[in-house]
Amino acid sequence: MSESTRLPLFIQISELLRREISAGYWLPGERLPTEAELAKKLGVAVGTLRKALNELEQNGLLERIQGSGTYVKNTPDNSAVYHFFRLELKSGGGLPNADFLSVEQHTNTYVASLLGLESNAQLWRFRRLRKLDQQPAAMEEIWISGEHKDDIAQDDLVESLYVYYREKLGFWISKVQDSITVDHVPDWKHQDFKPEIGSACGYIERLSWSNRDRIEEVSFTWYDPVNVRYAARWT
């Protein structure tokens, strides 16, 4: 994926901090490390971190107290880019990134049935290598109806498909249902994904509903169970 399609670095950092707050690494009322300490930990410039903190403060997640520091104010809501992303490193959290491997039109009887379409309906299929802190974490296969757009070029896509859906296709994901089990690594896996083709790994089948109250996306995810876990937390 080209750098132009990546989310801006300060947004990546703000999303990482959202995930860590959501995961309970920092609790409401807790003070964050100083900007210098946090920037060093995250490997970014203080200016970039400050923009990320401003973003979270504007969204009501953080509170800055002059002379005291920056405090967690609230837990994230579903406005976060990665609100529905449930994979994390076993060492904790991890900033999501994704590299597109292919963008193609296909038919798939099973997926079409889930989307409520005719069995021979044209569908868009996206295949991606998902990373956490730049470590290969999962293989993703994502399907949407071909009715949304006649032509989708890989260079047109942004790193977050949810952002692309909202800004380019006119819908957004409002809820998801995950079914988690074990499956075998597919034969199209990327060479950087550690589990071997055919070996057992974690597997997620996801149905995603849009603001139109219909299933708009079907996805299949194979993840590395040695380094990655599925985590869902509620308060």
Side-chain angles (χ1 to χ4, degrees):
M1 176 176 290
S2 66
E3 288 302 314
S4 63
T5 58
R6 295 284 190 197
L7 293 173
L9 183 57
F10 81 93
I11 294 294
Q12 294 183 48
I13 296 302
S14 70
E15 289 298 323
L16 172 61
L17 294 175
R18 279 178 185 261
R19 279 170 55 80
E20 294 198 340
I21 292 170
S22 179
Y25 298 119
W26 286 305
L27 300 174
E30 188 172 355
R31 184 173 64 183
L32 299 185
T34 66
E35 289 184 353
E37 292 170 337
L38 197 51
K40 182 177 180 181
K41 174 188 174 184
L42 297 173
V44 298
V46 171
T48 299
L49 174 68
R50 194 166 290 146
K51 289 179 69 175
L53 295 178
N54 286 339
E55 173 81 9
L56 295 176
E57 184 178 26
Q58 290 172 12
N59 282 281
L61 272 72
L62 298 180
E63 180 179 17
R64 286 170 161 176
I65 301 176
Q66 186 67 33
S68 179
T70 301
Y71 293 80
V72 177
K73 187 176 180 181
N74 292 306
T75 53
D77 58 23
N78 62 6
S79 66
V81 172
Y82 296 116
H83 174 69
F84 291 119
F85 187 67
R86 301 300 189 197
L87 295 182
E88 64 181 30
L89 295 172
K90 287 187 176 179
S91 56
L95 176 63
N97 292 113
D99 292 337
F100 281 91
L101 305 180
S102 66
V103 177
E104 299 174 345
Q105 278 198 314
H106 289 276
T107 59
N108 184 301
T109 302
Y110 176 62
V111 172
S113 69
L114 294 174
L115 292 172
L117 303 173
E118 296 292 331
S119 61
N120 62 347
Q122 283 294 310
L123 310 171
W124 283 108
R125 186 191 70 190
F126 310 112
R127 285 178 169 174
R128 307 196 299 182
L129 171 66
R130 173 69 78 172
K131 300 177 181 178
L132 288 167
D133 286 349
Q134 296 302 319
Q135 300 179 46
M139 305 296 301
E140 296 178 326
E141 185 173 275
I142 302 162
W143 298 80
I144 62 172
S145 171
E147 296 175 346
H148 289 299
K149 211 170 189 298
D150 292 333
D151 183 53
I152 298 178
Q154 189 164 315
D155 289 343
D156 295 336
L157 297 170
V158 294
E159 188 171 27
S160 169
L161 279 175
Y162 285 6
V163 171
Y164 179 79
Y165 297 159
R166 185 173 63 240
E167 295 183 353
K168 302 298 183 181
L169 303 185
F171 69 88
W172 59 90
I173 300 302
S174 60
K175 66 178 181 179
V176 301
Q177 173 184 297
D178 289 342
S179 300
I180 307 167
T181 182
V182 175
D183 197 32
H184 298 94
V185 177
D187 58 9
W188 55 269
K189 77 123 183 163
H190 191 275
Q191 61 184 9
D192 292 341
F193 185 64
K194 290 183 178 179
E196 296 296 329
I197 292 173
S199 64
C201 67
Y203 177 73
I204 306 163
E205 180 175 313
R206 168 172 286 187
L207 305 180
S208 299
W209 281 260
S210 71
N211 55 301
R212 302 164 182 167
D213 198 29
R214 67 187 188 201
I215 297 174
E216 212 80 60
E217 178 196 79
V218 176
S219 66
F220 310 107
T221 300
W222 297 261
Y223 64 91
D224 178 3
V226 174
N227 300 305
V228 176
R229 64 189 173 199
Y230 180 99
R233 300 175 177 89
W234 295 269
T235 57

